[in-house]
Amino acid sequence: MLNPANSKKWTDTSLVAEVRATMLLDCMTLDEKIGQLCQLSGNYGYISEELADSIRRGHAGSIINEVEPQVIDQLQRLSIEESRLGIPLLIGRDVIHGFNTIFPIPLGQAATWSPQSIEKAARISAIEASSIGVNWTFAPMIDITRDPRWGRIAESLGEDPYLCAELGCAMIKGFQGVDLADEKSIAACAKHFAGYGAAESGRDYNTANIPEVELRNTYLPPFKAAVDAGVSTLMSAFNDLNGVPATANTWLMNDVLRSEWSFNGLVVSDWESVSQLITHGLCENKKDAALAAAEAQIDMEMVSDCYWQHLPQLINEKRISESHIDQMVLRILTTKFSLGLFDNIPRGFQLHEQSVVEQHLAEAKDLACKSCVLLKNNNRRLPLIQQNLASIAVIGPLANDDYEQLGTWIFDGDEQRSVNCLDGIVQQLDNQVHVHFAAGMETSRSNQQQGFAEAISAAEKSDVAIMVMGEESILSGEAHSRADIGLPGCQELLIREISKTGTPIVLVVMAGRPITLEPILADVDALLFAWHPGSMGGAAISDLLFGRVSPSGKLPVTFPRKVGQIPIYYAQKNTGKPPSDESFIHMNDIQVRAPQTSLGMTATHLDTHFSPLFPFGFGLSYAKFEYANLALSSQTLKIGESIEISADVSNVGECDAEEIVQLYIRDKVGSITRPIKELKGFDRVSINKGDTITVSFTLHTDELGFFGRDGRFNTEPGEFQIWLGGSSEAELTSHFTLQTPHPSAVN
Ligand code: GLC
């Protein structure tokens, strides 16, 4: 029996969200319930009669991709004032790394290793997005990936589960704030659950085959951390995971997410990923797809209409129960009550004062400064000393482009707010130094060389050539994977031609992924990797190049020498025949008719050294840091105990700077083979030149565990090695023993 809707007991704000949601659910018809499971696409700036009618009939729980404030206001009023129960809408948008103010792409943000800065950026993004009525973002993207061919590495937080978890949770805190009902807070969405970053060959949407132990030890931890951090929603991934697409994968969605992790929040499908179950070949038709996704408790269907078309019949045929649907609806309504949508909608919108915009841009510049990674600095070519320069050349197709530096997923980015590299450098030099600009190429992908002469001429009359090269933003992001991850077009040729002038080159690379830079590395004196640095990229890069701030970024992802090395990552297994410098013989050095076994039998390629071009955690500074006096509070410990690890870090360089201290461990022997290194701690510290500080970490034995062959999480006794330093190739090392529990202690 439907309770009279006019009672509206759910409006009582003293009740908790789930109680209010249950009260409302009791008043809903089956059609209204199924309507809440549907996310419809907005019309991008107006409201079609069809959309308005759907909303009036309660056939929409959410609208995606509407960002006109007045239209959002009308959509909410339609739902609140003209539908029977007046249920507000979730307004979803991809606010991935900024809204109008654009921060570095997430992979660049990860290079800051700064949860605090990342949280601040997410908060600003939420403030800007919520001010026009968006209340749900589809971020953070916390897919682990070790394949820079994959375009969506740009949106990721890199290759390491620990770093990704820490930074993903910082984003969630920024988006959701301390109070999700605060009108500046928006619901976060941890995506894409799960295994999407393991797409074969880095080709987007491709199959992911991941053994359960690898899934549990590498790909799932960031999502578990997000759930534990209180993320409001998750999104199911497009990919086929071990034969069952994630959107219908009941082991992943029910056994792991709902049962093991007790996640009781909203799960939304990806764009038409429910109907794509047919394309995958898992389902015959939309009706089967609706059943498969509902059985996996995918609460809301993004844009496709399998639920709307077929759930009533499936319930009628008793192939799925209405009580099962009720649970899905309850999670959606609880999210809406938790967001305060029933209590302070419509929120209207307010334009931000210019002073607020300036604050946001200042934060974007700070994050961009922290995100850039100095990969090479021969003979201290950087920082550039303005007083020593009469003229500089600024060369490259990305040097004066306000748009390309914003990167992928910037639907609402305001490029009017951008400061590009050329502008940043000109502003920095303030007419004290002559600047010769030459794009050299029409676009980053161009193979036409007619611009070379002007660029060469600019370099020839300059003391230094700052080259801003890399990828246009369209070359990374969703569905933008590359099989060759070198500099596009004839960029390498242009760099070589500029190098021939003898003018020193400072290369700035903007890209959405690691680029195979080995072919031109010898031609440049300094290399600053800027990712796509966002609105204030040019201002940040200029500050770094001219030494107003020292680079501090560290790589969140390994840079390969060649694409053929992929997947290549620091936390690799030792194998039974690990490579070594002694054993490596380059193909070109092999004697003719060399005997079969004369080359050493180790895990390496013949034509490329087994090491990366630049390792995970690597990044140079204008300062120089030395590590010493590694100390452990104990060389032995028991299960359940913690160990204190400390070391002295000295800044023996020429300037004050920040260093990202990293702690790695290795479990020497396990019931499954363990990585040769695993990041277990990091700390960003400021050290003035000449100073020494002591950094310390507390490591609990729970952090030494892993999921074993039995699928259970265990910490196993034995020898552990630890390293502490400024990259994954840290050399300061020690070890400790985790003791075998005493037989009486084992219950
Ligand atoms: C896209 C993406 C997903 C995004 C969604 C809505 O296809 O896979 O990350 O949030 O659709 O735009």
Side-chain angles (χ1 to χ4, degrees), residues 97-105 108-109 112 114-128 354-372 417 419 532-537 539-541 543 549 658 684:
H97 54 107
F99 189 68
N100 302 132
T101 302
I102 299 299
F103 295 90
I105 54 171
Q109 293 191 33
T112 69
S114 173
Q116 299 80 359
S117 304
I118 287 171
E119 180 182 341
K120 210 181 286 183
R123 190 67 193 156
I124 288 171
S125 308
I127 288 167
E128 292 189 354
Q354 188 53 26
S355 61
V356 171
V357 173
E358 295 305 327
Q359 285 168 19
H360 293 177
L361 289 170
E363 292 299 340
K365 179 180 172 183
D366 177 63
L367 200 59
C369 277
K370 290 184 166 88
S371 71
C372 294
R417 299 187 184 192
V419 174
H532 284 119
S535 302
M536 295 300 284
I541 289 164
D543 275 9
V549 63
E658 292 192 302
R684 190 183 178 96

Side-chain angles (χ1 to χ4, degrees), residues 93-99 109 118-127 129-130 135-141 167-180 182-190 231-232 339:
R93 185 67 166 174
D94 291 286
V95 184
I96 307 297
H97 54 107
F99 189 68
Q109 293 191 33
I118 287 171
E119 180 182 341
K120 210 181 286 183
R123 190 67 193 156
I124 288 171
S125 308
I127 288 167
S130 61
N135 52 44
W136 186 18
T137 179
F138 304 116
M141 190 272 219
L167 302 184
C169 290
M171 277 191 180
I172 290 163
K173 280 173 69 180
F175 288 133
Q176 298 190 164
V178 291
D179 176 8
L180 190 59
D182 182 307
E183 60 182 20
K184 292 184 171 61
S185 297
I186 60 178
C189 181
V231 71
S232 295
L339 272 165

Side-chain angles (χ1 to χ4, degrees), residues 39 64-65 93-94 96 137-139 141 143 152 155 189 191-192 196 204-205 235-236 238 269-272 276 302-303 409 411 478:
Q39 180 177 60
I64 181 173
N65 287 342
R93 185 67 166 174
D94 291 286
I96 307 297
T137 179
F138 304 116
M141 190 272 219
D143 298 305
R152 303 198 77 164
E155 294 172 69
C189 181
K191 70 183 186 182
H192 307 79
Y196 187 18
D204 202 6
Y205 314 123
M235 180 186 294
S236 68
F238 281 126
S269 78
D270 204 334
W271 190 282
E272 297 182 337
Q276 284 169 15
M302 185 184 285
V303 173
W409 285 107
F411 290 158
E478 181 172 356

Side-chain angles (χ1 to χ4, degrees), residues 555-677:
L555 295 180
V557 64
T558 300
F559 275 49
R561 296 176 183 279
K562 287 190 176 67
V563 73
Q565 290 182 288
I566 294 169
I568 181 171
Y569 49 95
Y570 87 91
Q572 58 186 330
K573 300 299 186 68
N574 203 33
T575 76
K577 297 188 170 196
S580 67
D581 283 329
E582 297 69 40
S583 68
F584 176 70
I585 300 172
H586 192 282
M587 187 167 77
N588 298 338
D589 303 328
I590 298 171
Q591 291 169 356
V592 174
R593 299 173 68 83
Q596 166 74 17
T597 58
S598 64
L599 306 182
M601 314 286 267
T602 60
T604 185
H605 298 103
L606 289 181
D607 53 5
T608 304
H609 192 274
F610 50 88
S611 61
L613 186 62
F614 299 109
F616 176 86
F618 175 77
L620 299 173
S621 166
Y622 293 154
K624 186 172 185 315
F625 298 103
E626 289 181 352
Y627 289 75
N629 306 324
L630 178 59
L632 278 61
S633 56
S634 168
Q635 300 297 137
T636 61
L637 73 160
K638 298 185 183 67
I639 301 278
E641 293 179 345
S642 296
I643 188 172
E644 300 301 319
I645 301 159
S646 65
D648 293 338
V649 189
S650 301
N651 178 349
V652 297
E654 308 292 315
C655 65
D656 302 346
E658 292 192 302
E659 166 73 331
I660 297 164
V661 180
Q662 302 155 49
L663 171 69
Y664 296 87
I665 67 157
R666 179 183 180 182
D667 184 351
K668 303 300 279 292
V669 177
S671 58
I672 57 171
T673 55
R674 306 303 302 128
I676 59 173
K677 271 190 184 132

Side-chain angles (χ1 to χ4, degrees), residues 136-404:
W136 186 18
T137 179
F138 304 116
M141 190 272 219
I142 50 178
D143 298 305
I144 293 296
T145 186
R146 283 126 178 214
D147 194 334
R149 294 171 295 184
W150 189 44
R152 303 198 77 164
I153 193 171
E155 294 172 69
S156 81
L157 293 169
E159 71 183 52
D160 181 73
Y162 180 85
L163 181 64
C164 177
E166 292 292 305
L167 302 184
C169 290
M171 277 191 180
I172 290 163
K173 280 173 69 180
F175 288 133
Q176 298 190 164
V178 291
D179 176 8
L180 190 59
D182 182 307
E183 60 182 20
K184 292 184 171 61
S185 297
I186 60 178
C189 181
K191 70 183 186 182
H192 307 79
F193 194 59
Y196 187 18
E200 287 182 349
S201 84
R203 189 156 54 91
D204 202 6
Y205 314 123
N206 204 2
T207 306
N209 287 308
I210 312 171
E212 184 177 334
V213 280
E214 184 62 12
L215 199 56
R216 287 183 176 278
N217 287 319
T218 300
Y219 294 89
L220 296 186
F223 287 95
K224 176 64 166 60
V227 165
D228 292 346
V231 71
S232 295
T233 71
L234 259 72
M235 180 186 294
S236 68
F238 281 126
N239 55 284
D240 174 332
L241 175 61
N242 299 330
V244 181
T247 302
N249 196 309
T250 52
W251 172 80
L252 183 70
M253 295 295 175
N254 297 344
D255 301 357
V256 176
L257 180 62
R258 302 290 186 189
S259 302
E260 279 183 42
W261 297 358
S262 304
F263 180 67
N264 199 30
L266 187 168
V267 175
V268 63
S269 78
D270 204 334
W271 190 282
E272 297 182 337
S273 68
V274 175
S275 56
Q276 284 169 15
L277 296 174
I278 303 164
T279 318
H280 273 288
L282 189 85
C283 299
E284 289 279 346
N285 50 48
K286 283 188 171 184
K287 185 175 177 184
D288 289 350
L291 180 60
E295 285 176 338
Q297 299 186 73
I298 307 298
D299 300 316
M300 186 176 277
E301 180 178 8
M302 185 184 285
V303 173
S304 49
D305 62 355
C306 304
Y307 282 1
W308 184 251
Q309 295 294 339
H310 298 288
L311 279 181
Q313 201 179 9
L314 288 164
I315 292 166
N316 191 32
E317 294 167 1
K318 301 198 183 319
R319 294 178 65 188
I320 196 161
S321 68
E322 185 166 352
S323 62
H324 183 96
I325 299 302
D326 285 352
Q327 291 310 304
M328 296 162 67
V329 178
L330 194 61
R331 290 189 283 260
I332 293 169
L333 296 178
T334 303
T335 303
K336 293 185 177 185
F337 279 107
S338 301
L339 272 165
L341 299 191
F342 287 82
D343 311 321
N344 58 8
I345 283 285
R347 293 176 170 171
F349 73 102
Q350 83 279 356
L351 288 176
H352 292 297
E353 298 294 323
Q354 188 53 26
S355 61
V356 171
V357 173
E358 295 305 327
Q359 285 168 19
H360 293 177
L361 289 170
E363 292 299 340
K365 179 180 172 183
D366 177 63
L367 200 59
C369 277
K370 290 184 166 88
S371 71
C372 294
V373 185
L374 183 60
L375 297 175
K376 179 179 181 182
N377 193 17
N378 269 9
N379 309 318
R380 290 186 57 76
R381 167 57 51 193
L382 290 175
L384 298 174
I385 310 303
Q386 187 170 330
Q387 296 80 329
N388 300 346
L389 299 169
S391 68
I392 67 169
V394 177
I395 296 167
L398 301 178
N400 70 328
D401 192 309
D402 291 342
Y403 172 80
E404 298 301 350

